Amino acid sequence: MAILTINLNSDEKLVADIPRNRELELWKTIAIALNSVDDDERDCTLCIDEHSFKLSYYLSEYIYSHYQHYFL
């Protein structure tokens, strides 16, 4: 399992346990998101285990909605 954490803003932290069979799909989604956003639009933090990424609020929300049934 991978631990996915999304910090949408300073007071909202979402944590999910992503099963192994969905982990590769999650990594692909993040890779696509990272390539589609400018540096100045990155205002949210997304972490998978010990790896941390900056994404836009919109893309972070998209990832949350796609995996929302795994969040605690």
Side-chain angles (χ1 to χ4, degrees):
M1 285 210 155
I3 304 296
L4 171 63
T5 306
I6 300 176
N7 295 313
L8 293 176
N9 54 42
S10 61
D11 62 342
E12 190 172 8
K13 184 177 182 179
L14 308 167
V15 179
D17 290 324
I18 306 299
R20 290 261 180 234
N21 63 341
R22 299 294 305 268
E23 193 174 344
L24 181 59
E25 178 185 327
L26 175 61
W27 280 107
K28 287 179 183 178
T29 303
I30 291 171
I32 291 167
L34 286 170
N35 287 324
S36 66
V37 65
D38 293 329
D39 286 340
D40 59 339
E41 295 176 334
R42 298 178 187 201
D43 53 2
C44 296
T45 305
L46 186 143
C47 304
I48 302 176
D49 296 329
E50 66 275 348
H51 307 285
S52 182
F53 310 96
K54 295 291 273 181
L55 292 177
S56 69
Y57 186 86
Y58 168 77
L59 289 170
S60 296
E61 255 193 354
Y62 170 78
I63 291 171
Y64 169 75
S65 67
H66 193 70
Y67 294 94
Q68 71 183 31
H69 49 284
Y70 295 113
F71 282 87
L72 307 173

